[in-house]
Amino acid sequence: MVIVLLFGLLIGRLYNLQVANDSQYVSISDQNRIRLLYTTAKRGEIYDANGMVLATSTPVFTVSLMPAEIEDAEALAEVLVPLLADAEITTETVVEALQSQSRSYEPVVLKRYPYEEGLLIVTRLEEMRESLPGVVIAEEPMRYYPLGSLAGHLIGYVGKLSKDEKGLITEYNYQLNDWLGKSGLEATMERLEVDGTEIGLRGTRGLERVEVNSKSRPVRTISSQDPVPGNSYVLTIDAEVQAVMEQSLADMVAQVQRNYPKCRVASAVLLNVKTGAVIAMASHPGLDPNDFANGLSQEKADYYFNNEDRPLLNRAYSGSYPPGSTFKVATAAAILASGQIDPNETVVCSPSNWPYPRAKCPSSHGTVDMTKALALSCNTYFQEMAYRIGIDRFYSSCYELGLGQLTGIELTNEVAGLLPNPKWKEETFKDDPWEYTWRDYDTFYMSIGQGYNLVTPLQLANCVATIANGGDLLKPYLVQTITDAEGNVVYEAQRQVTNHLTLDEEGLEKLRAGMHAVIEPGGTASSVFRNFPIQVAGKTGTAQTGIQGDNDQEDFHGVFVAFAPYEDPEVAFACVVEYGHRGGTTAGVVCREVLNAYFKLDASPLPDWLPESSE
């Protein structure tokens, strides 16, 4: 009877397991033997205009933990931590990582290792596989930038999904361990959609259903779905010209620092005047996206986030500055467009014509017309003529040149600068009974680029491009074409006109001639472009910073704009060297080197010392 009773209990237990709760235990069994492995997709590659690789992927090994398969986190950590021999990974960090994972079916990535280093670690872990339940080793792509910091601000960088971005998990099917674009094109082109189709840089992850044995070793692949790489991008950037621009900015900042220690940052832009394509855009100090590709070290984090020079900021389109005398180009366009002023009409520049509240002129230029006023950067002429046409006409033409508004380039955090007018002043100073009203001095100082007006280097370059190409304000762009994984072109950039300057060709030619006079003998930039192989048209600027605490007699930003060649313009340039003092001999020198690289010239080097001129 004892035997019968024991067999009865056994049969009852077997019935309970195999019949009554069959589906539950089958499910548990399947979960124990079948593991779902997601395969990370490669991000799309990024190329310069000539096919040079700017961003790609390199294979790495990841060591991850599956929370659902781990019963004793501390026991596992005590075995795993010595094998990894990584100062950043301790028993406490392993336990904390597992506890913080709310989605137990998703792996927790502990570390990504470069391929060669990873091979050694993988070997050690596989030898101890039986003591490491829930440890998953996988090979996946990691973002890599072969040219380092070149165009780093434009390309941007990637980072892990943050707590603030968890909404992307449900909205766009991300996972907690995913890496995504955080800045630059990496961010704006992460999930780009055109006509309802996603053509961004991120790909589609793959999925494998793998059978494992009791020791968590793979036995066979039940099914698999290959990952689909992201789309690849060809940019308008010329990497060789970009490299020259970045190096020239760095060299100029270092040179100016010897006499003006405040000079630490600078930025520049080179545009195609006929299409709006960005050929080069740089901001100094630079940014190396590789620093972020596998997580920032503390040293790098301090450099990027605790640095008063703000290396993460792309000043070329996110930095706004007083334009100084480079704004006289826009003022001249407004004067010509008004139809109220004969461009051959003259003004006498002498101390007797500088009554308060007009700004003084750096020199007494005598009798000047528009061409001479641009060449010599005469404050007196532009103040008088801007006053005559009135602020409404003045503002309208400047707006047609794209000032005071976003350009629409495919990057985040662009700033619009500031183009003031009476309405703006009323809204801004509504509690100030004096400043509330637009005064004559507002027009005077705005006309010479030292009023409330602020610009970005990108806006300045686009303004000059509009004058050079016949009056079309174009939308600048960085992405020329996008291709899918099969090589099909799914997007191609087109020239986009966003506004048009109300000025006939005769007036534009008069304005371009004035800018050309700036480069000719006697002009404020003649020393920089003496004997240059091609004809250039430009405008210098020495802008008071407007920053509280700065000395308005010593602290100036160096600003320069240009287009070239003068006879048949191809490119427009703008540069700001913060605390660069003189625009012609600082930003102008950067322009010379960039144009020399773009046109593949062999211009003779400049002397170590250049004469300064009033700007």
Side-chain angles (χ1 to χ4, degrees):
M1 290 183 64
V2 171
I3 292 173
V4 170
L5 178 61
L6 291 174
F7 270 95
L9 292 173
L10 179 60
I11 293 170
R13 181 59 178 161
L14 290 173
Y15 176 84
N16 181 61
L17 290 173
Q18 299 187 37
V19 180
N21 295 299
D22 171 67
S23 58
Q24 176 185 349
Y25 289 107
V26 166
S27 175
I28 293 173
S29 175
D30 285 340
Q31 289 176 13
N32 286 337
R33 69 183 181 88
I34 298 175
R35 178 179 289 162
L36 299 180
L37 299 178
Y38 289 102
T39 310
T40 304
K42 285 179 59 177
R43 290 180 70 80
E45 308 218 322
I46 301 177
Y47 304 89
D48 88 327
N50 300 310
M52 189 173 294
V53 179
L54 301 177
T56 184
S57 297
T58 186
V60 295
F61 284 106
T62 63
V63 177
S64 307
L65 306 176
M66 295 295 292
E69 300 179 12
I70 299 172
E71 295 181 0
D72 190 336
E74 289 191 11
L76 173 67
E78 289 175 1
V79 177
L80 179 62
V81 170
L83 294 174
L84 296 179
D86 191 312
E88 296 179 2
I89 301 177
T90 63
T91 299
E92 291 74 20
T93 59
V94 171
V95 173
E96 183 180 346
L98 286 168
Q99 291 175 345
S100 65
Q101 173 63 288
S102 59
R103 298 156 70 94
S104 61
Y105 53 88
E106 285 189 21
V108 176
V109 177
L110 284 183
K111 188 84 174 184
R112 298 198 300 179
Y113 294 94
Y115 198 81
E116 295 300 325
E117 179 186 353
L119 282 174
L120 299 175
I121 293 172
V122 168
T123 301
R124 290 204 299 265
L125 295 181
E126 288 295 346
E127 289 175 351
M128 298 291 293
R129 169 58 68 184
E130 294 184 18
S131 303
L132 298 171
V135 175
V136 179
I137 303 166
E139 183 180 328
E140 66 177 47
M142 184 181 77
R143 205 58 162 160
Y144 174 61
Y145 305 89
L147 301 183
S149 62
L150 186 79
H153 284 102
L154 297 179
I155 299 169
Y157 62 89
V158 297
K160 286 192 70 172
L161 190 78
S162 68
K163 293 180 180 178
D164 295 336
E165 295 169 321
K166 284 188 176 180
L168 298 176
I169 294 174
T170 54
E171 187 174 359
Y172 294 106
N173 194 30
Y174 280 89
Q175 289 192 326
L176 287 172
N177 295 311
D178 282 347
W179 290 67
L180 67 162
K182 298 285 188 174
S183 75
L185 290 172
E186 291 279 28
T188 56
M189 299 301 161
E190 172 77 14
R191 298 179 303 276
L192 179 66
E193 284 193 12
V194 174
D195 298 329
T197 302
E198 188 174 305
I199 56 172
L201 286 165
R202 78 157 182 167
T204 303
R205 72 173 64 88
L207 175 63
E208 284 187 336
R209 297 177 70 243
V210 178
E211 183 179 354
V212 297
N213 59 22
S214 59
K215 299 177 182 179
S216 295
R217 292 184 183 275
V219 176
R220 65 187 178 96
T221 300
I222 299 173
S223 63
S224 66
Q225 178 181 328
D226 292 334
V228 179
N231 294 279
S232 292
Y233 283 56
V234 176
L235 306 186
T236 58
I237 297 296
D238 184 320
E240 293 184 3
V241 179
Q242 179 76 21
V244 170
M245 179 181 284
E246 292 182 10
Q247 188 60 54
S248 182
L249 288 175
D251 292 344
M252 182 52 62
V253 167
Q255 177 182 325
V256 175
Q257 264 188 338
R258 297 168 193 158
N259 297 316
Y260 303 99
K262 285 185 177 181
C263 180
R264 296 193 301 268
V265 301
S267 54
V269 179
L270 186 70
L271 295 177
N272 183 314
V273 305
K274 300 176 181 178
T275 65
V278 179
I279 299 165
M281 180 190 289
S283 182
H284 177 82
L287 179 159
D288 188 344
N290 286 317
D291 293 339
F292 299 82
N294 198 22
L296 278 175
S297 66
Q298 187 57 53
E299 179 184 2
K300 293 295 184 181
D302 289 339
Y303 169 74
Y304 287 112
F305 296 103
N306 300 315
N307 187 332
E308 62 179 328
D309 293 336
R310 302 172 67 192
L312 290 176
L313 180 66
N314 187 340
R315 291 171 169 81
Y317 69 94
S318 292
S320 57
Y321 304 92
S325 291
T326 60
F327 198 82
K328 291 171 183 174
V329 172
T331 305
I335 293 168
L336 290 166
S338 72
Q340 300 172 222
I341 308 294
D342 183 340
N344 297 315
E345 186 174 349
T346 61
V347 168
V348 177
C349 175
S350 68
S352 62
N353 290 325
W354 304 340
Y356 179 84
R358 296 183 186 229
K360 296 179 180 180
C361 210
S363 300
S364 183
H365 296 121
T367 302
V368 297
D369 62 2
M370 178 175 286
T371 300
K372 189 174 180 180
L374 282 168
L376 301 178
S377 201
C378 178
N379 289 345
T380 307
Y381 177 89
F382 290 103
Q383 289 180 101
E384 173 62 24
M385 295 308 185
Y387 173 72
R388 290 190 196 179
I389 67 173
I391 183 56
D392 291 339
R393 179 68 246 188
F394 186 14
Y395 175 88
S396 176
S397 291
C398 292
Y399 190 84
E400 289 177 350
L401 286 167
L403 302 174
Q405 56 195 293
L406 300 177
T407 68
I409 194 168
E410 321 96 312
L411 294 168
T412 58
N413 301 319
E414 182 185 10
V415 299
L418 175 60
L419 185 63
N421 63 3
K423 182 180 179 182
W424 169 84
K425 204 174 184 194
E426 288 176 7
E427 295 174 350
T428 305
F429 298 101
K430 57 186 177 183
D431 297 326
D432 188 322
W434 176 262
E435 282 298 301
Y436 172 86
T437 303
W438 187 270
R439 307 286 178 178
D440 289 344
Y441 63 74
D442 291 313
T443 301
F444 294 149
Y445 280 88
M446 178 176 169
S447 71
I448 62 174
Q450 287 292 174
Y452 291 109
N453 35 333
L454 298 171
V455 297
T456 67
L458 178 59
Q459 284 177 328
L460 278 179
N462 212 25
C463 169
V464 171
T466 303
I467 293 166
N469 69 25
D472 286 338
L473 178 65
L474 302 176
K475 179 181 178 180
Y477 64 94
L478 287 160
V479 178
Q480 188 62 52
T481 58
I482 303 175
T483 57
D484 62 18
E486 285 74 42
N488 303 308
V489 176
V490 295
Y491 170 85
E492 188 162 8
Q494 302 295 325
R495 181 179 189 265
Q496 295 186 51
V497 179
T498 60
N499 210 333
H500 188 81
L501 178 62
T502 309
L503 181 60
D504 59 24
E505 183 56 35
E506 183 180 354
L508 283 167
E509 186 51 47
K510 183 72 176 178
L511 179 51
R512 290 192 287 261
M515 293 179 68
H516 184 231
V518 173
I519 309 299
E520 294 184 311
T524 54
S526 59
S527 63
V528 177
F529 287 93
R530 183 180 293 119
N531 300 322
F532 197 63
I534 63 170
Q535 293 293 306
V536 179
K539 185 69 192 78
T540 56
T542 299
Q544 293 178 353
T545 67
I547 298 173
Q548 188 173 6
D550 280 353
N551 187 326
D552 60 7
Q553 300 302 313
E554 296 180 5
D555 293 327
F556 303 101
H557 296 324
V559 192
F560 188 78
V561 297
F563 67 83
Y566 167 61
E567 303 86 352
D568 183 17
E570 289 184 32
V571 294
F573 173 88
C575 176
V576 175
V577 179
E578 293 187 31
Y579 296 98
H581 201 61
R582 296 291 183 184
T585 52
T586 56
V589 173
V590 175
C591 178
R592 177 188 170 97
E593 294 184 7
V594 170
L595 294 181
N596 190 53
Y598 174 79
F599 289 107
K600 295 180 170 52
L601 306 174
D602 189 20
S604 56
L606 288 168
D608 293 335
W609 178 85
L610 291 171
E612 291 188 350
S613 58
S614 59
E615 300 168 0

